[in-house]
Amino acid sequence: MPPSASRPADHAPGRKPSIAREDLIAAALRLIGPHRSVSTLSLREVAREADIAPNSFYRHFRDIDELAVALIELSGEALRRIVGNARKRAGDASSIVRSSIEVFIEQVRADDRLLHVLLREGTAGTDAFKAAVDRELGFFEDELHSDLVRINTAQGKRLQQPRTVARAITRLVFAMGATAIDAPRERDAELIEELSLMVRMILSGARALAEREPG
C-alpha cells in the first residue's frame, strides 16, 4: 500500500494527524485579542493556526459559531470562579461589589483573552454569540441576586426587586468593562471608584424604595 493510502484523507504532510477540542480553542484564542473579535475568524484561519486540515475542525465543532459559543461559555465559567472567590472574602454588600469590580478590572488588564471574548461578543457578535453572552450574564445575575438577598436579610434590610438590582449591577459592570479594554491603565483606580459609586447608588435606591413599601 502506498504511504498516501495509509494517511487520513484530510491529513497533509506536516499537519497533525489528530487534535483535541482544547487545541482548537487555544488556536482561536491566539488569533483574537482586545482589537479583534472572534466573529471575524474564519474556520480555515483557525485550522491553519492549529496546524490541521480544515476538515479536521468538524470533528469537534459544527462551524466557527459553535467554537465561538464554546469560548464564551469558557470565559463565563472562568470569570465566575474568580469573582466568586472575591465575593466569599467580602463581608457585606458594598465590599462584595467592590471586591468583584476590582477583580473584574484586574482580569481585563491581565490580557485575559477569554474575558475579552465575553465583553466583545455581547455587542459585536452574531445573534448566536449575543445569546451565549446573555446566558453567561444571567448566571452572574443569579449568583449576585442570591448574595444580595442573603446579606441584606442578615443585616435586617430589604431591597426592592433584588433580581432587577442584580441585573442592573451586572449589566453596568460588564458595559463599563467593555470600555475599559481600550482605556489606559492609569484610569483603572478612577474607573473602580466610579463603578463602586454607581453600584452603591443602585443599592441605596433599591433599599429606599423597599422602605417606602408597607411592611
Side-chain angles (χ1 to χ4, degrees):
M1 178 183 295
S4 58
S6 63
R7 255 193 328 259
D10 62 355
H11 179 57
R15 285 175 171 167
K16 299 174 184 176
S18 63
I19 194 169
R21 176 186 174 96
E22 291 74 20
D23 294 324
L24 283 171
I25 289 173
L29 285 174
R30 288 195 296 272
L31 293 169
I32 60 177
H35 304 292
R36 185 170 188 194
S37 167
V38 69
S39 58
T40 67
L41 296 181
S42 70
L43 186 154
R44 287 186 174 277
E45 188 177 14
V46 174
R48 184 168 58 250
E49 178 67 23
D51 194 27
I52 59 169
N55 285 347
S56 297
F57 182 96
Y58 296 109
R59 295 176 182 171
H60 301 286
F61 298 102
R62 289 194 305 272
D63 50 32
I64 199 71
D65 280 8
E66 188 174 52
L67 170 60
V69 169
L71 285 170
I72 291 167
E73 291 173 349
L74 279 174
S75 67
E77 292 169 6
L79 186 60
R80 284 202 306 279
R81 283 195 300 272
I82 294 167
V83 173
N85 290 333
R87 287 204 311 268
K88 288 175 184 176
R89 294 194 298 268
D92 56 34
S94 295
S95 58
I96 275 180
V97 169
R98 185 176 182 87
S99 296
S100 300
I101 290 171
E102 289 174 344
V103 168
F104 181 75
I105 297 301
E106 285 174 8
Q107 289 302 115
V108 169
R109 294 306 182 202
D111 192 26
D112 187 333
R113 296 193 178 191
L114 277 174
L115 177 55
H116 293 166
V117 170
L118 190 61
L119 293 174
R120 294 290 193 192
E121 302 310 321
T123 56
T126 66
D127 289 345
F129 301 170
K130 291 175 184 177
V133 170
D134 199 61
R135 283 195 301 272
E136 293 305 315
L137 294 185
F139 294 142
F140 281 97
E141 291 164 15
D142 289 343
E143 293 174 1
L144 180 57
H145 168 256
S146 298
D147 282 339
L148 291 176
V149 169
R150 173 177 53 81
I151 290 173
N152 280 275
T153 299
Q155 294 176 344
K157 299 176 181 177
R158 294 174 57 226
L159 286 178
Q160 177 84 347
Q161 299 187 16
R163 189 165 292 281
T164 301
V165 172
R167 180 177 176 83
I169 292 173
T170 300
R171 302 290 163 152
L172 169 66
V173 170
F174 273 80
M176 296 289 280
T179 63
I181 291 178
D182 299 320
R185 290 175 180 267
E186 293 74 22
R187 284 205 59 215
D188 286 358
E190 176 188 346
L191 178 62
I192 290 170
E193 287 299 328
E194 185 179 13
L195 263 174
S196 298
L197 176 59
M198 290 178 178
V199 170
R200 287 198 299 272
M201 294 171 80
I202 293 173
L203 290 171
S204 297
R207 286 170 183 154
L209 288 171
E211 288 173 0
R212 293 179 187 175
E213 287 189 337

